[in-house]
Amino acid sequence: MEPFEYNAHPGRVVFGTGTLQKLPEEVARLKLTAPLLLSTPQQVDQAETLKNVLSGKVAGVFTEATMHTPSHITEKAIEYVKAQKADSVVSIGGGSTIGLGKAISIRTGLPHICIPTTYAGSEMTPILGETADGQKKTRSDPKILPGTVIYDVDLTMTLPVALSATSGVNAIAHAVEALYARNTNPLINLMAVEGVRALSSALPAIIANPSDPAGRSNALYGAWLCGTCLGSVGMALHHKLCHTLGGSFNMPHAETHTIVLPHALAYNSPKIPQVMEKLAAALPESNGDAIHGLNVLLTKLKVKRGLKDFGMKEADVDKAADIAVSNPYWNPREIERSGIRELIRRAWAGEEARADI
């Protein structure tokens, strides 16, 4: 057994079906009386549902959460928090809304209750990524971690199939990088492998039958495990590339993770043989090859494979490579511009991942 360190985060998780109805109980448990509800403009209906569950006892509803957590939206939300005299924030949605909840909470000290409706995993992390002046910057602080997370499988039943697929692969990416993190440990390894196994089995089932309760429950379970991995250990090349592409080229978050993951794994594969074995065992139809297993999964999920499909120009490949190598960070394989450029080019073109990178 290799030496390791393990830090447990003090968050509370409530998982099940119909658990949204426990929100008043969780608010009362924390002795709160004036929660501010957060959503994106597209999820106003879900914020209204929360308001009804709380019998209208809310400080207000803020519905302008935006992808990549732009700082000007956060500032606007904080003014609203102060004006409404809120004593807490409740975020419902995916990474955009959860990010706004975290940004408000870390700046004001208000408790944050989180109700995720996608598989992205941000709810389990003490990490906040914010965008200002075209650059996305990430910071980590234990106070950023939401205090309570309510997982309600019912809220994911209507998650569109395409978003279910990309959000689920986004979660798998957290587990993949957790397995080769510099500060990984045995418990996170177990959670990562189980998270990949659960999601890689559940997601194709959801594509086949979007209202399959077992598939939806297993996917949310896998997302919780993968999110815990993301929140517990450091990430490397894959996440750095996705932050670069999202913050500097406005690429959509989950879709970018889905496109980049197999290529980032291929780049790192020569230096992580044991991780590749574990992933191959967790991925269905891998035939002992984790890269092949991911290619098979993405084919089953019918997702777009090219960054060019989302408006990235071929001329941006060099710029993205420059940004990706400009800030040194730990990765199992040394960061070399030529290899990184080829990785980004393949992701831009929508090619299948190959180990010859």
Side-chain angles (χ1 to χ4, degrees):
M1 176 61 68
E2 295 290 317
F4 66 88
E5 294 177 5
Y6 173 66
N7 293 300
H9 290 307
R12 172 174 166 80
V13 171
V14 179
F15 185 101
T17 298
T19 44
L20 185 62
Q21 300 304 319
K22 294 188 175 180
L23 179 59
E25 194 180 308
E26 293 301 317
V27 169
R29 185 176 166 273
L30 295 169
K31 298 181 171 58
L32 303 170
T33 56
L36 179 76
L37 311 183
L38 306 174
S39 79
T40 62
Q42 295 78 30
Q43 290 182 295
V44 174
D45 288 352
Q46 289 184 320
E48 287 299 319
T49 300
L50 286 190
K51 189 175 175 181
N52 292 333
V53 169
L54 290 166
S55 305
K57 295 172 186 170
V58 301
V61 183
F62 185 86
T63 60
E64 297 177 45
T66 305
M67 189 167 68
H68 305 309
T69 320
S71 54
H72 70 277
I73 296 287
T74 300
E75 285 154 18
K76 185 176 178 182
I78 287 173
E79 289 304 311
Y80 187 61
V81 164
K82 290 174 182 169
Q84 301 300 112
K85 297 185 170 57
D87 64 3
S88 53
V89 288
V90 179
S91 59
I92 184 163
S96 301
T97 313
I98 294 166
L100 177 59
K102 288 176 167 183
I104 295 170
S105 178
I106 190 66
R107 285 168 170 81
T108 61
L110 295 181
H112 180 194
I113 298 174
C114 199
I115 306 167
T117 59
T118 72
Y119 307 132
S122 170
E123 67 280 356
M124 293 307 299
T125 78
I127 303 162
L128 173 60
E130 300 180 278
T131 305
D133 306 320
Q135 288 281 321
K136 188 163 188 179
K137 294 194 175 158
T138 304
R139 58 176 161 146
S140 183
D141 185 317
K143 294 184 184 124
I144 291 171
L145 184 76
T148 304
V149 179
I150 298 175
Y151 286 104
D152 188 340
V153 176
D154 286 347
L155 292 175
T156 66
M157 296 302 286
T158 54
L159 190 64
V161 165
L163 182 54
S164 299
T166 55
S167 183
V169 179
N170 183 8
I172 288 172
H174 308 329
V176 168
E177 290 229 295
L179 285 168
Y180 56 68
R182 181 167 41 175
N183 59 339
T184 196
N185 59 70
L187 187 55
I188 290 301
N189 271 248
L190 289 169
M191 294 178 103
V193 170
E194 175 69 356
V196 171
R197 186 202 60 73
L199 275 160
S200 58
S201 301
L203 294 174
I206 289 168
I207 300 298
N209 178 9
S211 53
D212 172 27
R216 290 292 186 183
S217 184
N218 285 331
L220 196 57
Y221 162 69
W224 165 60
L225 291 171
C226 294
T228 302
C229 292
L230 173 67
S232 302
V233 296
M235 297 289 112
L237 174 65
H238 169 80
H239 282 74
K240 298 293 182 185
L241 284 179
C242 291
H243 272 278
T244 296
L245 293 163
S248 299
F249 301 94
N250 206 36
M251 291 287 102
H253 183 84
E255 291 85 349
T256 301
H257 274 273
T258 300
I259 291 166
V260 170
L261 179 61
H263 300 290
L265 183 65
Y267 181 90
N268 282 330
S269 61
K271 299 291 185 182
I272 50 167
Q274 289 178 313
V275 169
M276 298 301 284
E277 281 180 28
K278 287 179 182 176
L279 285 171
L283 289 162
E285 298 174 50
S286 72
N287 299 331
D289 178 351
I291 298 167
H292 174 70
L294 274 180
N295 282 329
V296 168
L297 177 63
L298 297 193
T299 300
K300 281 186 190 171
L301 299 185
K302 302 172 185 168
V303 293
K304 290 179 178 175
R305 298 290 300 266
L307 295 170
K308 65 181 180 181
D309 296 328
F310 297 96
M312 186 174 173
K313 310 281 191 298
E314 188 168 13
D316 292 333
V317 170
D318 276 307
K319 186 182 173 190
D322 289 339
I323 298 171
V325 301
S326 63
N327 293 319
Y329 49 87
W330 186 86
N331 189 63
R333 178 178 168 184
E334 192 176 338
I335 302 297
E336 298 157 347
R337 191 187 182 284
S338 59
I340 297 300
R341 189 198 180 283
E342 175 59 12
L343 187 170
I344 296 169
R345 188 203 64 75
R346 291 180 186 184
W348 171 82
E351 296 175 9
E352 284 217 330
R354 309 186 304 278
D356 61 341
I357 195 166

